[in-house]
Amino acid sequence: MGTEEALEMAIKESIEVLGVDDQLGSEGGGGSRWKWQGAWWHMATFLEMGESWRIPESSIHMALDLLKLRTWPKFVVDREDGPQRDEDRSKMDCCHCELAVFYMILRDWGVDVDVEVPWIRAWFLKHQLPDGGLNCTPDAYGDSMKSSLVSTLPPLEAVLLYTDCDYTEEEKRFLDEGARYLIEHRLCRAKADGRLLNEDWLKPSFPRFFEYDILRGMRFLVEWSRRREKSVPAKVLREGLQLLEPCVEGDSVFVGSRVWGRDGRWESESFRLLLETGQVGHRNPWLSEEYRSVLASLRSEELPEL
């Protein structure tokens, strides 16, 4: 990361952008997906920094209106799932991970999303596949029935981290099956033969938005273990920590890759807050905090071996 002064300037710029940004209010909501300069991306970055409170109230209201009034409330797997009326055809369609990040932004800011937009939580639970995960590719629900780690983590995090009452039986199953999916895939490996699925997942990025890496997976598992009073196989965490070692020094984690920018996974424009918080090779306080929580869990509990 850069200096504290540079970070504060970047934060101020993003607040100013959100204060005048009207993309969330545009017809159909398509502006929310303008990588990487749209309002959604600024808000998601604040969420991952633990700074959602900095998001202007006007942006929160626009995001909420977008979801309530101008978003199609179904994941389109079959033709009958899609809008049938002309007035619905311009509505924004969502994938699981995008919708989950929206949900977490609003909940973290203080909106009771389950009251305002009750269909979102039901969406997550409905689209869990038999292997325990989710997939943003509609064909997976009628063909392979195989999940995607990228599609799975944000919905799991939304339910795990933003439930203020006891989990329902359906939510317990959702979380437990999601944890099983991660464990069976050893965070990053094919279940059948143990091959590494994606080398990029060994190098944590920040901000992640809806992208996956093994530290994100481990962080979910230790938090699931704490909240659900379940054990995580120690071997899974130990292997994950070993794979993460090239990006670790002491108890600090370095950003290993990024999903944005011309040399990122997706070629795109950027903004100052991304540049200040996601510099490859720099210590990252938010990733380091996640790493320390995994270490603490592994050291303090008697975890079973696989």
Side-chain angles (χ1 to χ4, degrees):
M1 284 182 54
T3 65
E4 289 189 16
E5 181 180 1
L7 179 60
E8 283 301 318
M9 288 180 60
I11 288 172
K12 182 178 179 181
E13 283 189 14
S14 282
I15 293 171
E16 290 175 351
V17 167
L18 288 170
V20 299
D21 190 282
D22 64 353
Q23 292 175 13
L24 291 170
S26 63
E27 185 66 29
S32 72
R33 292 173 175 155
W34 291 345
K35 302 179 181 71
W36 294 87
Q37 296 174 311
W40 186 89
W41 307 103
H42 289 270
M43 293 192 295
T45 305
F46 279 133
L47 170 71
E48 295 188 55
M49 294 171 63
E51 302 276 347
S52 296
W53 60 272
R54 292 182 183 265
I55 300 172
E57 187 173 358
S58 60
S59 293
I60 294 296
H61 285 315
M62 282 192 288
L64 188 58
D65 284 346
L66 172 63
L67 292 171
K68 291 174 69 172
L69 305 175
R70 290 177 287 110
T71 297
W72 183 244
K74 292 182 180 180
F75 183 57
V76 181
V77 175
D78 301 312
R79 170 175 265 178
E80 55 266 29
D81 296 326
Q84 306 299 315
R85 303 183 305 171
D86 289 342
E87 56 264 39
D88 291 329
R89 298 185 194 280
S90 64
K91 290 184 176 180
M92 182 177 77
D93 63 309
C94 273
C95 64
H96 309 321
C97 44
E98 178 186 23
L99 190 62
V101 174
F102 257 130
Y103 181 97
M104 290 189 283
I105 290 167
L106 294 172
R107 279 298 306 267
D108 204 60
W109 194 87
V111 175
D112 191 341
V113 185
D114 295 327
V115 170
E116 297 286 349
V117 200
W119 55 264
I120 296 181
R121 181 172 286 245
W123 170 308
F124 302 146
L125 303 179
K126 176 181 179 180
H127 293 101
Q128 188 171 42
L129 287 161
D131 63 8
L134 297 88
N135 199 318
C136 290
T137 302
D139 290 347
Y141 290 86
D143 186 12
S144 71
M145 300 298 284
K146 290 184 177 180
S147 297
S148 155
L149 282 162
V150 173
S151 303
T152 296
L153 257 291
L156 286 176
E157 290 168 343
V159 175
L160 181 72
L161 302 177
Y162 294 97
T163 301
D164 298 329
C165 55
D166 291 340
Y167 298 115
T168 66
E169 291 303 313
E170 188 177 10
E171 289 166 349
K172 291 176 185 177
R173 286 192 297 273
F174 177 77
L175 295 171
D176 294 350
E177 287 294 286
R180 175 180 65 85
Y181 173 72
L182 277 174
I183 292 167
E184 289 182 346
H185 285 80
R186 293 160 51 196
L187 299 168
C188 59
R189 298 189 181 278
K191 182 179 175 180
D193 57 14
R195 63 184 170 81
L196 181 64
L197 292 171
N198 190 328
E199 287 191 6
D200 284 335
W201 294 346
L202 308 184
K203 299 173 288 187
S205 59
F206 192 93
R208 294 181 177 109
F209 304 109
F210 44 66
E211 272 286 356
Y212 178 76
D213 60 63
I214 56 173
L215 181 56
R216 186 173 191 170
M218 288 190 286
R219 181 243 187 175
F220 169 79
L221 285 177
V222 298
E223 191 62 25
W224 164 79
S225 174
R226 185 181 71 82
R227 295 186 185 225
R228 290 284 296 125
E229 299 182 338
K230 303 281 188 178
S231 292
V232 180
K235 187 175 181 179
V236 172
L237 296 182
R238 290 195 182 105
E239 181 181 6
L241 291 172
Q242 184 178 18
L243 291 170
L244 196 64
E245 282 181 0
C247 295
V248 175
E249 184 175 290
D251 64 351
S252 295
V253 173
F254 294 81
V255 175
S257 66
R258 64 185 186 186
V259 299
W260 46 268
R262 299 192 183 280
D263 57 348
R265 298 179 210 171
W266 300 327
E267 183 174 338
S268 59
E269 297 299 323
S270 183
F271 54 90
R272 188 188 293 260
L273 192 57
L274 290 183
L275 297 173
E276 288 298 325
T277 59
Q279 298 179 56
V280 174
H282 286 229
R283 286 184 177 87
N284 184 281
W286 303 285
L287 296 178
S288 298
E289 183 178 354
E290 291 182 8
Y291 176 72
R292 288 190 287 270
S293 74
V294 175
L295 284 179
S297 176
L298 192 57
R299 290 167 177 168
S300 65
E301 298 181 24
E302 289 295 325
L303 299 174
E305 297 292 349
L306 284 178

